[in-house]
Amino acid sequence: MVGRQCSRVACVEEAVATLTYDYADALAVLGPLSIRHEPHSYDLCARHAERLSAPQGWQVVRHSVLGELGLGA
């Protein structure tokens, strides 16, 4: 199975994270790549996920997998 491509325009890298927005709470949530593509989310490659910033007044929440932090089994 071929992975999903980054949602950023002109980027051809494979997606590794999924970004969703909570407009009511001015919150951008970045987590591990979702199991399937959701229509109101954005899949990002490692470079774009790392560089993610939010508009002034918004908060960015970054979820990570325990294994990526060296805490998993």
Side-chain angles (χ1 to χ4, degrees):
M1 179 178 146
V2 176
R4 297 194 307 260
Q5 186 174 332
C6 182
S7 296
R8 295 293 302 256
V9 175
C11 184
V12 296
E13 296 297 318
E14 186 172 344
V16 297
T18 298
L19 170 66
T20 56
Y21 290 106
D22 180 342
Y23 292 95
D25 292 327
L27 190 65
V29 181
L30 183 67
L33 188 63
S34 62
I35 294 172
R36 62 183 166 274
H37 176 72
E38 299 293 334
H40 300 290
S41 65
Y42 303 89
D43 295 334
L44 299 176
C45 66
R47 181 171 53 103
H48 286 117
E50 186 176 306
R51 294 181 178 181
L52 176 72
S53 63
Q56 186 173 354
W58 281 58
Q59 181 179 2
V60 176
V61 174
R62 295 175 185 268
H63 293 278
S64 43
V65 176
L66 292 178
E68 293 175 358
L69 300 173
L71 302 173

